[in-house]
Amino acid sequence: RRTGDLHSIRLPRRSNRKTATGLENLKKSRKMSLGYAEKLSYREDVGTVGMPEKFDSPKLLQGKIEELAVMVQKSKHLVVFTGAGISTSSGIPDFRGPKGVWTLQRAGKGVPDASLPFHRAAPTLTHMALVELERAGLLKFVISQNVDSLHLRSGFPREKLAELHGNSFKEVCPCCKTEYLRDFEIETIGLKDTPRRCADKNCGARLKDTVLDWEDALPPEEMNSAEEQCRTADLVLCLGTSLQITPACNMPLLSIKNGGKVAIVNLQATPKDKKASLVIHGLVDKVIAGVMCILSLRIPPYIRTDFIQLLLRHTVKKKCVRWTLRVTSVHGMRAPLSFLRSIEVSFPDRSDMKPVVLMEQPFSLQRETSMTSIFSMLLTLKFSDGCGCSSSSIECHVNFQKQKESFVRDRSLVLQELKCTAERQSRAGQQSILERESLPRAETSIHAFVTNIIRYDAEDLKVADPKGSWMNSGSSTSSNLAKRLVEGASGYSASTKKLKC
């Protein structure tokens, strides 16, 4: 598949209709986070739902965790097969659990509420542990049935990931096959056309969403790579999945046919339990935290970066300059900046220029000044709920008589520096400029911000006798996890090999 640079997407021409669409999408995403479930066409048979959850005793659970750690350590080709259960601790409900989407819908209660908007959900401890297992050379491939994009947000390599049911935050060009990972939820499902086009000048085809509806077949490329990996695997570890949806649920069994083993970690019984070498009934995060501890592997923090584009245009009229500042998404005017609540614009060295607060997207400001005016403009970006800090700022020096130099910095190096600084300082809010393009009467720049940092403490996950899930219990584990999710809960990541953002 083709790849591209983060900033290659051009801004579409401004129109009221497009702007309204972006704002409408932002408002919808803030109100609820299960748009995917509501967009699916109706289906009567969604498998067995509402089955009781089982919890192994602390002693039994610890023994099974140790057994699983040995299996992982001895494995030569480990493949992990994930379901909705690995994302529930991020605030996203599952489908067939006691309070799952299908369970409540069958009871006539509609779609359950989620603790965070879909686009602000953060990778869980398990997601980040899988990143470290891959880095350590133990994990070879991940097959996911989830559409929440948390594997990609965690930084897991795209080339080692098969997303069988698609990704709610990803579009694809049907012609040149370039993938585009977004920081907002795509408007449609069912492999339909989206409002955007391919950024390749030689293509320009209308993009399509990647999420399957019930009647859609699994994408051949994803399915073929998943099946090949399962046949090669000597261990397929199934995490947080009921293993009911065909044909995906049968893939792990391919390893058994070739002498491999299957291990299952799930709170409910599955139809494949009898064929598994190990079945663990426990919270996925607790089990994986225990495995990581035994293997002496550190669970890395999750650090999210978000991006904005600044556009400063001006026209000269006699001795005056009329200028316009716009702050938009790097994906274009139509895309909402979901992590921003407002922008305060002030002019520290000019008492004659009044500050202003921009509340509506797309953020825009128009002013008129003297042609000879030289001033500083301070933008204070107020972040939305779910971010790890309240604000960050950019200072711009404006001189309409002098054109600035254009440049493009190494994106991967800049983002790595930002993340290292955020981890060292244990806080979010850092920002850096990635590129600037200067023309005689226009200047465009792209900036990156660290908006979240989450650390995962395995000490919070010591094996204990659970009486309910983390998200619903009043235990210290629940409160500690909830605190970290509030401190920062979102994600954005793209593979340098297969994705274009």
Side-chain angles (χ1 to χ4, degrees):
R1 295 186 181 177
R2 299 188 60 185
T3 131
D5 181 59
L6 170 68
H7 321 304
S8 60
I9 298 179
R10 293 181 173 182
L11 284 173
R13 293 181 179 179
R14 184 179 182 183
S15 74
N16 291 334
R17 181 180 64 83
K18 290 183 178 181
T19 298
T21 301
L23 291 174
E24 182 180 341
N25 291 338
L26 178 60
K27 290 176 182 177
K28 286 181 178 179
S29 67
R30 282 177 175 171
K31 288 171 62 178
M32 59 90 66
S33 68
L34 293 174
Y36 160 66
E38 289 195 332
K39 293 171 190 172
L40 282 171
S41 57
Y42 179 76
R43 185 183 178 96
E44 182 67 30
D45 181 18
V46 293
T48 304
V49 301
M51 294 177 62
E53 294 181 338
K54 299 180 179 181
F55 292 92
D56 291 332
S57 67
K59 184 177 180 180
L60 178 60
L61 180 59
Q62 183 59 39
K64 288 184 176 181
I65 290 174
E66 293 173 1
E67 183 178 351
L68 178 59
V70 172
M71 294 172 71
V72 169
Q73 190 172 40
K74 290 183 176 180
S75 173
K76 301 298 182 184
H77 197 101
L78 169 65
V79 171
V80 170
F81 188 87
T82 65
I86 76 162
S87 298
T88 53
S89 61
S90 73
I92 301 174
D94 59 20
F95 290 90
R96 294 176 178 80
K99 296 184 179 180
V101 174
W102 309 140
T103 305
L104 294 184
Q105 282 189 339
R106 180 167 291 183
K109 297 181 180 180
V111 176
D113 293 329
S115 61
L116 287 169
F118 208 0
H119 64 273
R120 298 309 302 180
T124 65
L125 179 148
T126 297
H127 288 98
M128 299 310 299
L130 296 181
V131 172
E132 185 63 21
L133 286 170
E134 188 278 327
R135 289 174 181 170
L138 293 172
L139 176 58
K140 306 304 182 184
F141 202 82
V142 167
I143 303 166
S144 179
Q145 302 169 94
N146 301 336
V147 300
D148 53 30
S149 198
L150 293 186
H151 282 301
L152 289 176
R153 292 183 191 179
S154 71
F156 197 86
R158 175 64 180 97
E159 63 272 14
K160 295 184 179 182
L161 172 68
E163 295 179 306
L164 297 180
H165 298 157
N167 185 323
S168 290
F169 298 84
K170 187 172 68 180
E171 298 170 286
V172 64
C173 176
C175 295
C176 66
K177 306 304 179 184
T178 302
E179 293 181 340
Y180 295 84
L181 184 64
R182 309 303 194 187
D183 54 8
F184 56 90
E185 188 176 357
I186 306 304
E187 299 88 338
T188 61
I189 71 164
L191 312 180
K192 299 182 180 68
D193 288 344
T194 72
R196 291 160 291 278
R197 291 186 177 275
C198 180
D200 191 324
K201 296 179 180 179
N202 298 321
C203 182
R206 178 79 66 166
L207 301 179
K208 291 183 178 292
D209 72 74
T210 61
V211 176
L212 306 184
D213 205 343
W214 285 111
E215 68 274 11
D216 296 316
L218 294 183
E221 184 176 343
E222 306 291 313
M223 183 175 65
N224 292 340
S225 61
E227 289 180 340
E228 180 183 353
Q229 290 292 326
C230 285
R231 290 190 183 96
T232 306
D234 57 3
L235 175 61
V236 177
L237 175 57
C238 302
L239 299 176
T241 170
S242 62
L243 295 171
Q244 292 192 50
I245 296 296
T246 58
C249 67
N250 294 318
M251 288 184 181
L253 302 184
L254 295 175
S255 66
I256 298 178
K257 294 181 179 180
N258 293 320
K261 296 180 179 180
V262 171
I264 300 173
V265 181
N266 199 53
L267 286 178
Q268 296 171 305
T270 81
K272 313 300 181 185
D273 285 357
K274 293 182 179 180
K275 297 185 179 181
S277 299
L278 177 64
V279 177
I280 303 177
H281 294 299
L283 296 166
V284 175
D285 281 358
K286 283 190 176 182
V287 172
I288 296 302
V291 169
M292 296 295 283
C293 183
I294 293 171
L295 297 177
S296 299
L297 291 176
R298 169 181 175 265
I299 300 173
Y302 167 64
I303 300 174
R304 169 169 174 155
T305 52
D306 282 292
F307 306 86
I308 65 167
Q309 181 169 250
L310 300 185
L311 176 62
L312 183 62
R313 296 181 182 274
H314 73 274
T315 57
V316 179
K317 187 177 182 181
K318 295 183 180 180
K319 294 184 179 181
C320 293
V321 174
R322 179 172 295 175
W323 54 269
T324 301
L325 170 71
R326 288 178 182 163
V327 183
T328 67
S329 166
V330 294
H331 304 300
M333 292 282 287
R334 197 167 190 174
L337 286 166
S338 57
F339 69 98
L340 280 185
R341 186 173 69 250
S342 63
I343 300 177
E344 296 180 2
V345 185
S346 59
F347 308 89
D349 55 357
R350 293 291 297 269
S351 59
D352 59 321
M353 299 176 71
K354 294 183 179 180
V356 64
V357 179
L358 307 178
M359 300 293 295
E360 296 292 332
Q361 296 193 32
F363 299 110
S364 181
L365 173 65
Q366 290 185 335
R367 288 288 175 91
E368 191 172 288
T369 59
S370 166
M371 182 66 185
T372 58
S373 293
I374 301 175
F375 57 90
S376 294
M377 181 166 52
L378 182 66
L379 308 181
T380 303
L381 285 68
K382 300 293 185 178
F383 295 148
S384 60
D385 295 340
C387 290
C389 61
S390 60
S391 65
S392 187
S393 61
I394 303 172
E395 186 170 9
C396 305
H397 298 282
V398 182
N399 183 351
F400 295 112
Q401 293 180 303
K402 184 178 181 181
Q403 184 175 329
K404 296 179 181 178
E405 293 184 2
S406 299
F407 62 85
V408 177
R409 301 173 65 188
D410 187 307
R411 174 178 176 265
S412 60
L413 289 179
V414 174
L415 297 185
Q416 186 61 37
E417 290 174 1
L418 277 177
K419 291 180 179 181
C420 288
T421 302
E423 183 173 3
R424 185 172 62 252
Q425 296 177 349
S426 295
R427 63 176 180 82
Q430 297 81 3
Q431 69 89 20
S432 184
I433 185 170
L434 295 175
E435 67 176 64
R436 181 169 64 210
E437 180 183 16
S438 294
L439 301 174
R441 295 192 178 183
E443 177 185 310
T444 303
S445 59
I446 294 178
H447 302 255
F449 295 83
V450 175
T451 55
N452 291 93
I453 176 168
I454 305 175
R455 296 182 182 276
Y456 304 88
D457 187 359
E459 287 299 312
D460 288 346
L461 306 174
K462 289 181 178 178
V463 175
D465 189 9
K467 297 181 180 179
S469 71
W470 283 345
M471 303 310 292
N472 300 320
S473 70
S475 67
S476 60
T477 296
S478 174
S479 62
N480 287 337
L481 178 62
K483 180 180 178 181
R484 286 198 302 280
L485 289 175
V486 169
E487 288 173 349
S490 183
Y492 178 90
S493 176
S495 163
T496 57
K497 181 176 182 180
K498 301 184 80 172
L499 289 173
K500 188 172 187 178
C501 305

